[in-house]
């Protein structure tokens, strides 16, 4: 299938072709026709699947093909599409996509988020904005000040809606929904389905098409995952050693806290390894600067917290390091999804100290595989993992012949063929689907 068979205009196809896309990804194949048909969509797809283009392309098509002149009550041209995202970085990235895919169209977009001057945004709102990409908080600031008019929104997109709910934006979202016209198209994208998403979808969507692509296979052949057991206070030394020894030139490192991220940047600097941090306490310009410098090779290491990393799109990132394991096992999936994208090979390394062994067990349970340990001479730490210490912790592992666990102390990763793939969920029924490219169907009211 090609983009031209999906019903998109020539201007849009020209723009995606220039970006080097030759064929649509599975989420695009399903979402583009569904959005073009004008109905609501509920789509489960993670970052890295091409989800942004899956709603941006048909949105651009829809807005550009309607040539009727529209005005607000005070004679201005109205904002016609609203895309809400959980983070500033994601908002900026989505708007970049809107600009890039819409470069041959006469549509104007604007990105709006907190942490930067509001007056500049107010000035921008005085001129034409067809597509507004915003984070909920700053959008509501504008609503309060009467500087934004949402009364003529034709299409609403909630991108990474699950993350918005996790971040406590539900009240803000409800408030924003109350300001939109009743008649509109709603597109709700999420990475992980939950009761909260189901509830939001039930109240928001009208007979949506349900689209789901295979959950990004966290144990994809292209991502090599390893664990190093190490004492907590030797982690930064081990990290510096791995970076130098393996000549890693571009490494994204995750820490659990903002303080931990800043401290690690200093420790790496002491080791003459240039690093920058990206987290919620950094100003927007500092974050943008750090990301740009990391992308263009000006800094070797980018240290990030989970929230700040959402939506970071760094192509072909070769190395991801979990300096601390995340408290929530799903975040491990998001983190390592930053590497091994689009078929490129990548490596995800976790530095695990004694008090993180339960977190490791939780991750292994979620991804349904055990992660191989590696040892670096001089950095050995001897403690049993949770799964080894507590016999019950093995429950999740698929039984091998004679019910013997595979050896863990090997320095070699498990063969990729033994990887159990995570199975895509069929959201409404809770049944598992075996399709690898996903499913699409109308979501009947009775499913809710
Ligand atoms: P997303 O899931 O929207 O974050 O997209 C992940 C990456 O895939 C981005 O770098 C996109 O530019 C890229 N991408 C999106 N669609 C395609 C496509 N059809 N072919 C190749 N790359 C794509």
């Amino acid at each position: 299938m090609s983009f031209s068979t999906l019903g998109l205009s020539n201007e849009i196809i020209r723009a995606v072709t220039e970006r080097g896309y030759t064929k649509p990804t599975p989420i695009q194949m399903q979402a583009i026709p569904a959005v073009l048909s004008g109905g609501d969509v509920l789509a489960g797809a993670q970052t890295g699947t091409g989800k942004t283009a899956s709603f941006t392309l048909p949105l651009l098509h829809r807005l550009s093909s309607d040539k009727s002149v529209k005005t607000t009550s005070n004679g201005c041209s109205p904002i016609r599409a609203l895309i809400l995202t959980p983070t500033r970085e994601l908002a900026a990235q989505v708007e970049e996509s809107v600009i890039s895919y819409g470069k041959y169209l006469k549509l104007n977009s604007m990105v709006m988020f907190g942490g930067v001057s509001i007056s500049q945004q107010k000035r921008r709102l005085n001129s034409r904005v067809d597509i507004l990409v915003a984070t909920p908080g700053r959008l509501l600031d504008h609503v309060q000040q009467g500087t934004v008019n949402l009364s003529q929104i034709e299409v609403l997109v909630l991108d990474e809606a699950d993350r918005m709910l996790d971040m406590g934006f539900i009240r803000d979202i409800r408030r924003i929904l109350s300001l939109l016209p009743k008649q509109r198209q709603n597109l709700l994208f999420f990475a992980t389905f939950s009761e909260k998403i189901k509830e939001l979808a039930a109240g928001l969507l009208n007979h949506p098409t349900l689209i789901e692509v295979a959950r990004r296979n966290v144990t994809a052949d292209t991502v090599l995952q390893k664990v190093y057991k190490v004492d907590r206070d030797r982690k930064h030394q081990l990290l510096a050693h791995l970076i130098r020894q393996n000549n890693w030139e571009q490494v994204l490192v995750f820490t659990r806290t903002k303080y931990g991220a800043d401290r690690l940047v200093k420790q790496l600097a002491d080791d003459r390894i240039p690093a920058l941090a990206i987290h919620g306490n950094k100003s927007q310009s500092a974050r943008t600067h750090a990301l740009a410098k990391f992308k263009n090779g000006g800094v070797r290491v980018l240290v990030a917290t989970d929230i700040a990393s959402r939506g970071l799109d760094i192509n072909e990132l070769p190395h991801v390091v979990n300096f601390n394991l995340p408290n929530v096992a799903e975040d491990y999936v998001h983190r390592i999804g930053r590497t091994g994208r689009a078929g490129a090979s990548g490596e995800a390394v976790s530095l695990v100290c004694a008090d993180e062994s339960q977190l490791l067990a939780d991750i292994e349970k979620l991804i349904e595989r055990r992660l191989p340990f590696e040892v670096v001479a001089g950095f050995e730490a001897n403690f049993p993992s949770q799964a080894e210490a507590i016999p019950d912790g093995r429950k999740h592992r698929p039984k091998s012949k004679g019910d013997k666990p595979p050896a863990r102390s090997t320095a070699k990763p498990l063969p990729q063929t033994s990887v159990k793939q995570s199975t895509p969920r069929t959201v409404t029924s809770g049944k598992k689907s075996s399709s690898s490219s996903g499913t699409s169907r109308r979501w009947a009211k009775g499913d809710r």
Side-chain angles (χ1 to χ4, degrees):
M1 192 184 272
S2 68
F3 280 102
S4 49
T5 57
L6 292 176
L8 296 167
S9 69
N10 289 338
E11 290 84 355
I12 295 175
I13 293 172
R14 192 169 151 207
V16 294
T17 309
E18 279 177 16
R19 291 232 1 196
Y21 302 176
T22 50
K23 60 180 175 56
T25 64
I27 179 81
Q28 291 162 4
M29 279 184 220
Q30 297 173 65
I32 292 172
V35 179
L36 288 178
S37 76
D40 285 359
V41 167
L42 175 61
Q46 295 180 327
T47 303
T49 55
K51 71 175 169 65
T52 313
S54 79
F55 61 79
T56 307
L57 301 181
L59 172 69
L60 288 166
H61 180 98
R62 177 184 163 158
L63 298 184
S64 59
S65 22
D66 179 358
K67 307 271 188 237
S68 59
V69 180
K70 299 181 166 44
T71 47
T72 55
S73 49
N74 56 2
C76 300
S77 56
I79 301 172
R80 299 173 62 195
L82 173 64
I83 304 173
L84 288 179
T85 73
T87 63
R88 301 161 184 187
E89 280 76 19
L90 187 59
Q93 251 170 236
V94 169
E95 206 238 353
E96 267 174 34
S97 298
V98 170
I99 294 172
S100 161
Y101 303 140
K103 66 195 273 201
Y104 297 114
L105 302 172
K106 291 193 180 72
L107 292 170
N108 295 312
S109 59
M110 171 183 177
V111 64
M112 175 192 281
F113 46 69
V116 293
S117 149
I118 196 165
S119 47
Q120 217 174 330
Q121 294 174 350
K122 285 181 188 165
R123 279 197 295 280
R124 174 68 187 89
L125 283 165
N126 283 331
S127 54
R128 182 175 166 155
V129 175
D130 299 292
I131 302 168
L132 176 62
V133 188
T135 52
R138 179 53 67 94
L139 178 60
L140 284 175
D141 290 343
H142 281 280
V143 166
Q144 214 147 23
Q145 299 189 26
T147 44
V148 71
N149 181 344
L150 303 175
S151 67
Q152 297 206 40
I153 295 292
E154 297 163 45
V155 187
L156 168 72
V157 183
L158 297 182
D159 190 15
E160 300 199 356
D162 49 335
R163 189 44 72 135
M164 283 199 261
L165 298 180
D166 289 348
M167 289 167 73
F169 283 136
I170 187 64
R171 286 184 58 192
D172 288 355
I173 291 173
R174 292 206 186 288
R175 178 90 211 286
I176 293 164
L177 293 179
S178 72
L179 302 165
L180 307 181
K182 295 256 172 317
Q183 187 69 29
R184 58 172 198 266
Q185 184 177 20
N186 300 294
L187 315 176
L188 196 160
F189 282 74
F190 63 89
T192 309
F193 193 68
S194 65
E195 274 306 307
K196 282 197 218 159
I197 286 286
K198 191 172 169 186
E199 215 176 283
L200 180 67
L204 177 69
L205 306 176
N206 187 21
H207 294 291
T209 301
L210 171 68
I211 296 170
E212 206 183 9
V213 295
R215 202 181 155 82
R216 233 189 100 74
N217 179 11
V218 297
T219 46
D221 313 348
T222 51
V223 182
L224 186 63
Q225 300 169 72
K226 298 175 185 173
V227 170
Y228 292 92
K229 278 188 195 176
V230 58
D231 292 329
R232 178 205 289 272
D233 55 7
R234 302 210 60 209
K235 280 190 180 187
H236 72 272
Q237 289 164 359
L238 176 58
L239 176 62
H241 173 85
L242 290 171
I243 291 171
R244 279 217 207 85
Q245 199 69 16
N246 301 306
N247 269 327
W248 289 346
E249 289 303 331
Q250 201 183 33
V251 198
L252 179 61
V253 180
F254 286 96
T255 58
R256 206 175 303 140
T257 63
K258 301 168 196 172
Y259 170 75
D262 286 336
R263 192 176 51 179
L264 181 59
V265 165
K266 286 197 194 97
Q267 286 167 333
L268 289 170
D270 290 343
D271 278 321
R272 295 177 185 281
I273 297 175
L276 286 171
I278 187 163
H279 57 62
N281 284 1
K282 298 272 177 191
S283 70
Q284 188 52 40
S285 60
R287 292 200 220 181
T288 310
H289 167 75
L291 185 58
K293 208 158 172 198
F294 182 61
K295 278 185 174 183
N296 69 24
V299 67
R300 215 164 162 182
V301 182
L302 186 68
V303 185
T305 54
D306 289 294
I307 299 267
S309 81
R310 284 297 286 196
L312 287 188
D313 180 19
I314 305 157
N315 282 332
E316 292 169 33
L317 187 59
H319 306 286
V320 167
V321 175
N322 294 305
F323 192 77
N324 312 111
L325 288 182
N327 286 330
V328 180
E330 276 83 5
D331 281 340
Y332 177 84
V333 177
H334 292 303
R335 289 178 176 189
I336 77 160
R338 306 280 148 205
T339 183
R341 284 186 169 202
S345 63
E347 189 174 26
V349 162
S350 299
L351 310 185
V352 177
C353 61
D355 56 12
E356 289 176 306
S357 46
Q358 179 60 53
L359 297 175
L360 180 62
D362 292 345
I363 289 165
E364 293 183 325
K365 185 171 179 181
L366 177 77
I367 64 174
E368 298 184 3
R369 67 168 295 197
R370 298 190 76 176
L371 296 172
F373 284 134
E374 291 216 356
V375 177
V376 175
F379 291 94
E380 302 87 352
N382 269 325
F383 56 86
S385 74
Q386 194 71 11
E388 288 162 336
I390 306 169
D392 231 22
R394 288 186 176 142
K395 268 186 190 161
H396 64 274
R397 279 189 22 253
K399 285 184 180 178
S400 57
K401 263 193 184 163
D403 198 22
K404 273 196 171 169
R408 292 207 63 151
S409 54
T410 169
K412 285 208 175 101
L414 293 176
Q416 295 294 338
T417 46
S418 70
V419 166
K420 180 161 182 196
Q421 304 205 338
S422 31
T423 325
R425 301 137 298 135
T426 299
V427 176
T428 47
S429 66
K431 281 182 206 150
K432 287 186 171 183
S433 152
S434 58
S435 149
S436 63
S437 61
T439 54
S440 156
R441 68 182 175 90
R442 297 304 286 187
W443 196 40
K445 276 243 185 249
D447 286 343
R448 291 174 193 167

